[in-house]
Amino acid sequence: MSIFNFFRAAPRASAVQAKERLQIVMAHERAGRSGPDYLPMLQQELLAVIAKYVNIDENKVEVKLDRGGDCSTLEVNIELPAREQAKAAAAAKTAEKSAGNDVGAAKRPAGGAVGNGGAKKRI
Amino acid sequence: MSKIIVMTSGKGGVGKTTSSAAFATGLALRGFKTVVIDFDVGLRNLDLVMGCERRVVFDFINVINGEAKLNQALIKDKRIENLYILPTSQTRDKDALTREGVEKVLNELSKDFDYILCDSPAGIERGALMSLYFADHAIIVTNPEVSSVRDSDRILGVLNSRSRRAEQGLEPVTQQLLLTRYDPERVEKGEMLKVDDVLEILAIPLLGVIPESQAVLRASNVGMPVILDEVSNAGLAYSDAVGRFLGEDIEHRFVTPQKKGLFSRLLRRSA
């Protein structure tokens, strides 16, 4: 060992990094595993319905299922496009105040069927 | 009625076959009539590790296909009373493992044996799925290393969803961790995951810690299950693990660096 090594700060133990990296990656994988596999399909179908009425960006949709102790939350976040700039200014007073807002969030009891609660509109 | 154990890991090369050979031998040494089955169709190696490669005539796949009787394929170990090996085919592939075929052979074996130990191939495909499907107990072989731990977690997920017990809503397959190739000195230097780290991540009970040992390679070289090397740390650790599996309360050894005396330091000799 050279004398210089003595003064150098000890590097962070690699085993500690291994543990942290594993915990992060596995938290993700476990969440994906326990999630029901209808989520991607649900997301697509929801999109298709909404796209019939509103012009939405496919990439700005997020479907998430969180499992809590006694209640699971199905959260659907769809970002509605800002109205075309010209219209937006004129219609600002009368139009629904949905531009740029998130829509959706349906709650359901754990294990129950989706749709037990009505979708709430957060404005 | 016999108990079916699967030795599995997801990842390859972590010591499933070494552990299967050692574990089956350990169970037989304690008086239980035990058979160890190689599920790694096409890549058979259990016969080599058990030292019976020259005695293979018929195999597991022959029995499944009705080309041979079970007792024609079973190889009786020459060293240990009560120990039998069911080798697999080296020429076929995993498609030869049908669920009905495997079930038929396991049912027939369970009339005769106390323990049926299934040595799983790596991966999560057909071979691995068939080896774990009928299991009552799973021993998860893991190295203290990121890819092995992640794959073990994956295989735990498979056990919980795709085993017979899971599918039929029976009591779940019991799961225990066998941590192999553990090097306490590297752990002490912070270069290797600790036993507790792996336990915290996988959250299953610990069956045993097998220290990294030169005895394992020596044993496979000569076709002897390492548990028969009674002076090696690895052999003793396997023996302890078998005892714990059978419900004995045995303290874990070889998890901290062994103090070396001046003499062995000078000679630079390691056990």
Side-chain angles (χ1 to χ4, degrees), chain B residues 114-227:
Chain B
D114 299 311
Y115 286 101
I116 301 172
L117 205 159
C118 304
D119 181 22
S120 168
I124 50 170
E125 286 82 34
R126 186 167 201 91
L129 289 178
M130 280 302 114
S131 72
L132 66 78
Y133 187 77
F134 296 99
D136 302 307
H137 307 279
I139 299 174
I140 314 298
V141 186
T142 307
N143 290 169
E145 180 256 327
V146 288
S147 50
S148 176
V149 175
R150 184 196 212 175
D151 291 358
S152 293
D153 189 63
R154 183 83 176 87
I155 209 80
L156 287 170
V158 172
L159 276 163
N160 288 333
S161 61
R162 303 182 66 181
S163 60
R164 183 182 63 97
R165 285 175 171 271
E167 282 186 6
Q168 298 181 359
L170 306 170
E171 204 153 295
V173 181
T174 62
Q175 301 161 340
Q176 289 170 297
L177 176 72
L178 190 63
L179 194 60
T180 57
R181 307 202 65 170
Y182 194 72
D183 187 337
E185 286 176 5
R186 298 198 75 180
V187 171
E188 187 140 282
K189 285 187 208 154
E191 293 177 356
M192 185 179 267
L193 288 166
K194 289 195 280 275
V195 183
D196 292 341
D197 293 340
V198 181
L199 286 175
E200 186 186 329
I201 294 168
L202 292 179
I204 55 172
L206 181 64
L207 181 62
V209 178
I210 313 299
E212 175 79 60
S213 162
Q214 299 182 1
V216 173
L217 179 60
R218 278 202 303 268
S220 74
N221 284 343
V222 298
M224 177 188 86
V226 70
I227 200 168

Side-chain angles (χ1 to χ4, degrees), chain B residues 35-38 44 46-47 52-76 84-92 105:
Chain B
V35 58
V36 54
I37 310 178
D38 192 347
R44 90 169 169 222
L46 182 68
D47 54 336
C52 63
E53 70 278 6
R54 293 171 63 178
R55 298 168 61 205
V56 178
V57 182
F58 293 111
D59 58 53
F60 187 24
I61 305 302
N62 290 139
V63 181
I64 287 180
N65 292 340
E67 296 152 1
K69 293 225 169 75
L70 185 56
N71 57 19
Q72 291 177 292
L74 279 176
I75 300 175
K76 188 179 187 317
Y84 291 78
I85 300 108
L86 183 55
T88 195
S89 165
Q90 179 70 326
T91 52
R92 312 291 275 274
V105 175

Side-chain angles (χ1 to χ4, degrees), chain A residues 15 19 23 26 29-30 33, chain B residues 150 153 190 192 200-201:
Chain A
K19 185 181 177 188
Q23 282 173 324
M26 282 168 46
E29 287 173 356
R30 283 175 180 161
R33 189 191 304 158
Chain B
R150 184 196 212 175
D153 189 63
M192 185 179 267
E200 186 186 329
I201 294 168

